[in-house]
Amino acid sequence: MDKIDRVRQLLIDIGMPKRQQADICVLTILGMANLKKTTKWTKATNEWLRIHDIIAFANKNYGVSYAENSRETFRKQALHHFRTAAIVEDNNKATNSPEYRYRLTAEFLEILRKINTVKPLKAFKKNHQSLMEIYASKKEMKKMPVRINGKDFTFSTGKHNQLQKAIIEEFAPRFAPNAECLYVGDTIQKDLVK
């Protein structure tokens, strides 16, 4: 298994969503660890790097051609999520500062250096929720309870659903007493009540 496939499998193993298993994310990890195609896993590093450095590494060592204007894609698709998942950390500078840098966390560096052993991976998974679990819990927490026709439902957050909730729970009882809701849709579940 080559380095790209092995890192992709590692991202799957720690519970990264499909989008964070893409080549751009795999190459971000390899670049941050300074792992060329022939570099031994034990030689992985975690120096502070700019996104520019990661792009230059990927282009030079893995035969891709990401342009400089793809920095924001690297930040939004890979680094932002990796920071949430405890894979990378930043140096706490303003994101628009020329001094802003990222590096692998010591825990994740240990996983890469000992990629063929399970102990560091098991420890990481024990100490951290997977990104899919983190996002699922945030999604669940953001639901708005709403009572429709005497039954409890939840709406996803958003201004449109806040308006629907206010109409159902405040407007209708005042101005249309004893009315029944025949249809209401949520942005996630289009026919919540039908």
Side-chain angles (χ1 to χ4, degrees), residues 105-127:
T105 61
E107 274 182 297
F108 196 76
L109 178 65
E110 187 72 8
I111 292 171
L112 288 175
R113 286 181 175 167
K114 297 179 179 177
I115 195 129
N116 295 316
T117 61
V118 296
K119 191 175 180 182
L121 179 60
K122 284 175 83 174
F124 184 87
K125 289 169 75 171
K126 182 181 176 190
N127 293 330

Side-chain angles (χ1 to χ4, degrees), residues 174-188:
R174 286 185 191 143
F175 299 103
N178 302 317
E180 182 179 354
C181 179
L182 299 178
Y183 170 84
V184 68
D186 182 24
T187 52
I188 293 174

Side-chain angles (χ1 to χ4, degrees), residues 6-192:
R6 187 63 186 95
V7 170
R8 190 181 329 276
Q9 185 58 52
L10 178 60
L11 293 173
I12 292 167
D13 292 345
I14 63 170
M16 296 302 286
K18 189 81 170 160
R19 190 162 162 81
Q20 279 65 54
Q21 299 166 21
D23 286 351
I24 194 170
C25 299
V26 170
L27 291 168
T28 297
I29 297 289
L30 291 168
M32 294 186 76
N34 196 28
L35 287 168
K36 300 172 186 166
K37 290 180 181 181
T38 58
T39 307
K40 293 183 180 187
W41 291 102
T42 56
K43 302 292 183 190
T45 63
N46 69 337
E47 302 297 319
W48 290 106
L49 298 173
R50 302 170 297 165
I51 295 175
H52 165 81
D53 303 322
I54 297 165
I55 293 171
F57 175 90
N59 289 346
K60 180 179 178 186
N61 296 290
Y62 284 91
V64 292
S65 56
Y66 290 107
E68 272 302 309
N69 64 0
S70 62
R71 286 191 310 264
E72 197 59 27
T73 304
F74 275 79
R75 183 185 335 275
K76 286 182 177 177
Q77 188 172 340
L79 293 163
H80 170 76
H81 300 284
F82 288 168
R83 191 175 49 217
T84 303
I87 293 173
V88 301
E89 59 189 347
D90 63 42
N91 62 356
N92 291 318
K93 304 279 185 190
T95 53
N96 61 353
S97 166
E99 300 302 315
Y100 192 72
R101 303 282 191 278
Y102 297 93
R103 72 174 176 188
L104 296 173
T105 61
E107 274 182 297
F108 196 76
L109 178 65
E110 187 72 8
I111 292 171
L112 288 175
R113 286 181 175 167
K114 297 179 179 177
I115 195 129
N116 295 316
T117 61
V118 296
K119 191 175 180 182
L121 179 60
K122 284 175 83 174
F124 184 87
K125 289 169 75 171
K126 182 181 176 190
N127 293 330
H128 302 283
Q129 279 186 300
S130 75
L131 195 61
M132 288 191 288
E133 291 169 336
I134 291 168
Y135 289 165
S137 67
K138 285 182 179 178
K139 196 174 191 179
E140 194 60 38
M141 287 176 17
K142 290 184 177 180
K143 297 268 187 174
M144 285 186 295
V146 61
R147 191 151 181 87
I148 306 169
N149 300 336
K151 294 180 185 168
D152 293 324
F153 295 91
T154 57
F155 282 151
S156 56
T157 56
K159 292 186 186 247
H160 178 79
N161 286 339
Q162 287 174 339
L163 177 61
Q164 288 191 133
K165 178 179 169 71
I167 291 169
I168 292 166
E169 293 183 339
E170 296 176 32
F171 179 85
R174 286 185 191 143
F175 299 103
N178 302 317
E180 182 179 354
C181 179
L182 299 178
Y183 170 84
V184 68
D186 182 24
T187 52
I188 293 174
Q189 188 177 347
K190 299 296 180 204
D191 53 355
L192 190 64

